Amino acid sequence: MDALLSRGSAPAPGPIIVLVAGEVSGDLLGADLMLSLKRHFPHAHFVGIGGERMMAAGLHSIVPMERLSVMGLVEVLGRIRELFDVRARVREYCLNNRPAALIGIDSPDFTLGLERQVREAGIPTVHYVSPSVWAWRRGRLKGIAKSVDLMLTLLPFEASVYRDHGIPVRFVGHPMADQIPEEPDRQAARRELELPEAGQMVALLPGSRGSEVGGLGPLFLETAEWLADAMTPAPTFVIPCINRQRREQIEAMIRGKEAWQALDVRLVDGQSRTVMTAADAVLLASGTATLEAALLKRPMVVAYRVNALTFWVASRLVYVDHVALPNLLAPEPVVPEFLQEDATAEALGTALKTRLTAPETIEHERAIFSEIHRQLRRNASDRAAESVAALIRGEPLPEDLENT
């Protein structure tokens, strides 16, 4: 084992900064944050848990990140002992080596508990990416207040929730807004995917998990069928498939109905961002992809379906009126949302047709999406690193960026 990771190892020449990420998205955020932190601490040593990108940026990973990447209650329960063991190893490392800071990146069910244990030992802690306490489970704020010295949020309205509860917070912007160009090139994306450069194209994104695709896939294909009947010429439909299993699942759906076999449906392996860039409009499930579509300036329609009990419970716990992130960021609701029984092929198809054929609607939505892009484009990794550096040095935190 690397000497830096060994129990009670000698202090490193530069500060030790511990970072913990449990998902691929966190690995991306962590890698960019490390690169920005190196400008403040050129001799820093990064230790913790991360994936390929964080390790390429110089992280010494105590355990493989894959050991934290569990999904679903059954899988979590089956590995609960292992997860506790991993958390104990990171905690022990922190207590023995006294890092300058511990930074938990998303994965709040794992990282917040670790942050609390480490903070109680007097080690500064940061949490990067707010849990969705602004939408529900606000009771977690008391626990978060005991866990973190600084919360870094990606969205501006999140910061006010923490500020109201006396939790130090900085809105740093969204890295995705830094990555996506202000004017995405639709034709270049079509050429990259070897799709027709002429004609209208609709991206269908029913989700990445088998349950999501099983629930929304047939509805999205019914919507494509409705839209193809309602428009001449019919659009091309493109579906990005996150892996082989999802491709096979969608292919089986299409084979199951003759009308769907007659549609011009193209399946693409991965590359969901490129698929949305290539499209004229997007039909998708709620989630982060709605923000991505907005940053790509693509008119969209959102559908959301879960089992009746889950929806009943959620409707009584949530604190927001919309499921699509662009509607939470915009001054007015702009993205059509169809929930539960309101999500029908005709309703979705009608809304999509408007976003393919009504220039005023298209331009209005693009203008709002452009403003959201400007609001979130703040060099997030650099801003986050500035805040972490100030915390480590005991300096005043940088100016709050919520209204700048």
Side-chain angles (χ1 to χ4, degrees):
M1 179 181 291
D2 191 298
L4 189 61
L5 304 183
S6 62
R7 181 185 175 96
S9 58
I16 297 174
I17 300 174
V18 175
L19 303 98
V20 177
E23 301 286 347
V24 172
S25 58
D27 185 44
L28 294 170
L29 289 173
D32 287 343
L33 177 59
M34 288 168 61
L35 295 176
S36 293
L37 281 170
K38 287 178 180 178
R39 290 195 281 273
H40 295 271
F41 306 107
H43 303 294
H45 293 266
F46 299 102
V47 184
I49 300 175
E52 292 182 0
R53 289 179 180 265
M54 289 174 69
M55 288 190 289
L59 181 80
H60 298 262
S61 197
I62 295 174
V63 299
M65 189 182 72
E66 290 72 19
R67 290 177 63 180
L68 300 189
S69 300
V70 295
M71 296 175 64
L73 180 61
V74 173
E75 189 174 356
V76 170
L77 291 175
R79 295 182 54 196
I80 192 86
R81 183 183 296 274
E82 179 184 6
L83 292 172
F84 278 130
D85 287 345
V86 170
R87 188 154 69 183
R89 287 187 63 184
V90 180
R91 181 184 68 244
E92 182 180 12
Y93 175 84
C94 290
L95 298 182
N96 288 328
N97 293 278
R98 310 297 300 182
L102 164 69
I103 305 170
I105 305 172
D106 211 352
S107 303
D109 292 328
F110 182 89
T111 54
L112 283 172
L114 173 63
E115 290 158 20
R116 183 169 181 172
Q117 294 170 348
V118 170
R119 186 170 187 253
E120 288 174 350
I123 298 168
T125 60
V126 180
H127 192 83
Y128 190 16
V129 184
S130 168
S132 299
V133 292
W134 46 269
W136 71 305
R137 295 179 71 183
R138 290 195 179 182
R140 296 185 74 177
L141 286 165
K142 291 182 179 179
I144 291 173
K146 297 177 181 179
S147 300
V148 305
D149 291 291
L150 176 63
M151 175 67 70
L152 301 175
T153 74
L154 308 186
L155 305 174
F157 60 80
E158 296 173 321
S160 60
V161 176
Y162 293 99
R163 195 175 298 110
D164 291 344
H165 286 78
I167 300 171
V169 61
R170 287 295 178 272
F171 159 57
V172 298
H174 204 296
M176 194 159 35
D178 299 326
Q179 299 160 4
I180 294 175
E182 293 190 18
E183 296 295 336
D185 191 332
R186 179 183 289 107
Q187 295 307 112
R190 292 190 181 190
R191 289 192 294 271
E192 181 179 343
L193 296 172
E194 298 182 352
L195 296 170
E197 292 191 41
Q200 291 190 307
M201 192 171 296
V202 177
L204 306 178
L205 283 80
S208 58
R209 301 176 185 175
S211 58
E212 292 173 328
V213 174
L216 288 176
L219 172 62
F220 283 18
L221 288 169
E222 288 174 8
T223 302
E225 180 185 353
W226 186 95
L227 200 57
D229 290 339
M231 295 184 64
T232 303
T236 297
F237 301 95
V238 187
I239 306 176
C241 306
I242 193 170
N243 54 34
R244 178 177 56 82
Q245 289 81 7
R246 298 293 78 76
R247 172 183 272 270
E248 292 175 351
Q249 186 179 11
I250 294 169
E251 287 174 339
M253 288 179 188
I254 295 173
R255 288 196 301 268
K257 188 172 181 180
E258 187 174 346
W260 296 348
Q261 296 175 34
L263 297 171
D264 184 4
V265 179
R266 315 288 180 96
L267 304 186
V268 174
D269 293 327
Q271 304 182 83
S272 61
R273 181 176 297 178
T274 308
V275 168
M276 286 193 283
T277 304
D280 296 285
V282 182
L283 174 61
L284 71 170
S286 64
T288 305
T290 62
L291 177 60
E292 190 170 16
L295 295 173
L296 291 167
K297 321 302 183 303
R298 296 300 178 253
M300 77 189 85
V301 176
V302 172
Y304 182 76
R305 275 185 179 178
V306 292
N307 68 64
L309 177 60
T310 300
F311 187 78
W312 183 86
V313 171
S315 66
R316 281 151 180 78
L317 293 178
V318 297
Y319 297 89
V320 293
D321 297 325
H322 299 283
V323 298
L325 281 173
N327 283 340
L328 297 173
L329 291 163
E332 62 187 57
V334 65
V335 174
E337 302 175 354
F338 297 90
L339 313 182
Q340 298 299 90
E341 64 273 7
D342 292 334
T344 65
E346 182 176 1
L348 298 174
T350 301
L352 279 170
K353 184 179 178 182
T354 298
R355 279 145 189 84
L356 291 168
T357 60
E360 290 185 3
T361 298
I362 294 169
E363 290 307 313
H364 175 65
E365 293 183 7
R366 285 179 178 166
I368 290 178
F369 295 158
S370 292
E371 180 56 35
I372 290 174
H373 201 154
R374 286 190 290 272
Q375 184 182 29
L376 298 183
R377 193 169 198 164
R378 304 296 182 95
N379 295 316
S381 296
D382 290 345
R383 299 289 189 177
E386 289 173 2
S387 297
V388 172
L391 180 68
I392 289 173
R393 293 168 175 153
E395 300 171 351
L397 293 170
E399 178 186 0
D400 196 312
L401 294 174
E402 183 176 5
N403 298 310
T404 61

